[in-house]
Amino acid sequence: MKDDFTSSVTHELRTPLISIRALSELMRDDDTMALAQRQQFLDIIVTEAERLSRLVNQVLDMAKIEAGQADWSSTAVNLR
């Protein structure tokens, strides 16, 4: 099960990194790229960077839970 988790995390990290790198290289290498295309690529890069941040935070949270160092707070919830 741990191998499945590691494989999943690796895939989830690799996918946005590949997008960020590819789009960044395209913008760097194409001096004639239209401003609208450049903006679209930048929007994708920001979205993928945010995705990476969320994933890293989730992995760090899981590590805290596994190490028994997670902070928990109880809240009453109405299930209706």
Side-chain angles (χ1 to χ4, degrees):
M1 175 127 166
K2 194 167 188 172
D3 289 334
D4 290 341
F5 175 75
T6 302
S7 176
S8 176
V9 169
T10 301
H11 173 74
E12 290 297 319
L13 287 170
R14 194 173 285 147
T15 301
L17 281 172
I18 290 169
S19 295
I20 290 169
R21 182 171 180 184
L23 295 173
S24 299
E25 288 175 355
L26 284 169
M27 290 190 318
R28 179 194 63 197
D29 296 340
D30 187 355
D31 295 339
T32 63
M33 183 180 291
L35 184 57
Q37 182 72 59
R38 189 173 295 274
Q39 186 61 50
Q40 181 183 14
F41 284 2
L42 287 170
D43 290 343
I44 293 168
I45 289 169
V46 168
T47 300
E48 293 299 303
E50 290 169 346
R51 179 177 166 195
L52 281 172
S53 282
R54 283 191 308 273
L55 180 61
V56 167
N57 287 333
Q58 290 170 355
V59 169
L60 293 174
D61 289 344
M62 288 299 295
K64 282 183 182 179
I65 291 168
E66 288 178 352
Q69 298 174 347
D71 294 326
W72 300 98
S73 60
S74 298
T75 303
V77 177
N78 183 348
L79 297 177
R80 289 185 205 181

